[in-house]
Amino acid sequence: MIRYFTAGETHGPCLTAIVEGLPAGVYIEKGKIDAQLAKRQKGYGRGGRMLIEKDTAEILSGVRGGVSLGGPVTIRIENRDWKNWSEIMGAWESNGKKEVTCPRPGHADLTGGMKYAHSDLRNVLERASARETAARVAVGALARQVLEPFGIKFLSRVVSIGKIEDRPDILDEAFYERAAVSEVGFGNENAEKEAKAYIDEVKKMGQTVGGIVETTVTGLVPGLGSYVQFDRKLDARLAAAVMSIQAIKGVEIGLGFEAARIEGAKAHDEIFYDGGFKRKTNNAGGIEGGMTNGEPVIVRAAMKPIPTQYSPLMTVEIRDKSPKKASVERSDVCAVPACSVVVENVIATVIADAFLEKFGNDSMEDIKYSYDGYVKRIKQY
Ligand code: EPS
């Protein structure tokens, strides 16, 4: 089982995460974590903060000579912007500047201020910020290194940005490779051009735009997760983890909401046998009864437009209750490609958790032994 916590404010000294449950004997490459962090910073429409940060993971415990020890792994990601905020966000000194009293519609500002009795809503936004997703990406990029020796791979793409849909002719490796390097996460060149033009338009309107992202996980054995208890169902765990990412308003697995609009014969995947149990289609998105069924797991998430609008919506000043324009915090016009990286790595952590739940948590040596035994047994099923 893998558990973790993240900590840190967007303008504090750093983000930290403590990961508990990583087995001993995992070969960990720092470069793989930093590559995911760098990818999260990219994307057409990203804001000024991304010009300041060069996110990289410092490992402070649980790893020796590139191999995990089995104890908690502490990850630290420096906030380079801290030097500009140390007098405002210092743990012991704060000059109280840059206070926020005009809550942004769509952000945690107003309700967070009520809940925690903050009269300066900066105290809310500092932790609610999407900056925290850098820590979650680092955790996922670490956790997925448990899965790589077992051939488990993650493929992600942006399905749409606002009203602009990507137009995959065929979802093959080449398409995913193009999507992986596209500034908008699209694999189709013309659709990419349209999306960039649209983001420019949205920026001119002083607004923001969200979109839909999709992650496909391949190489999974059947039987991760369980049907015996609601909180062990893998689809439930994936949905909760993805929904907990900033700005996510919807999560689908497989056909998702489309499954509610069609009859059973079109919705379910017929089974056949060809040296193993196979399915003709994958409308279930690789999960049936809360368990992987051996087909690729397909998860889609809907990201709302980021709440900070440079032509702000109306709000209420929390002290004098007067109608005001919402506060404008530095932000992104579009962070959908970044969201795609966050969703992929958050999914990786859930898959690693379910994988270790089934095959053990102590050492990669025992895990491989348990995995090989299971694969051998189900081949004879
Ligand atoms: C982000 C960091 C934040 C924002 C943005 C994305 O940095 P800063 O607040 O210093 O500009 O740019 O977060 C939001 C837009 C938000 O509303 O949370 C990041 O690291 O992804």
Side-chain angles (χ1 to χ4, degrees), residues 10-11 40 46 49-50 81 104 107 128-131 133 306-308 330-332:
T10 182
H11 301 121
R40 189 200 73 93
R46 278 297 238 153
R49 179 71 185 269
M50 297 305 121
D81 206 11
R104 296 161 292 175
H107 219 292
S129 166
R131 175 72 191 152
T133 62
I306 288 173
T308 299
R330 180 179 53 195
S331 179
D332 312 273

Side-chain angles (χ1 to χ4, degrees), residues 180-202:
V181 296
S182 156
E183 284 183 280
V184 296
F186 279 11
N188 177 302
E189 222 170 296
N190 295 328
E192 179 188 55
K193 286 195 186 92
E194 289 167 31
K196 287 170 77 170
Y198 175 54
I199 292 166
D200 290 341
E201 243 178 78
V202 169

Side-chain angles (χ1 to χ4, degrees), residues 1 20 32 48 62 93-94 108 116 217 241 252 257 260 279-280 299 311 338 378:
M1 172 156 117
E20 155 63 29
K32 289 184 175 176
E93 267 97 44
S94 163
Y116 291 95
V217 192
E252 287 189 332
F257 278 74
R279 285 166 179 75
K280 292 188 175 140
V299 183
S311 59
I378 59 171

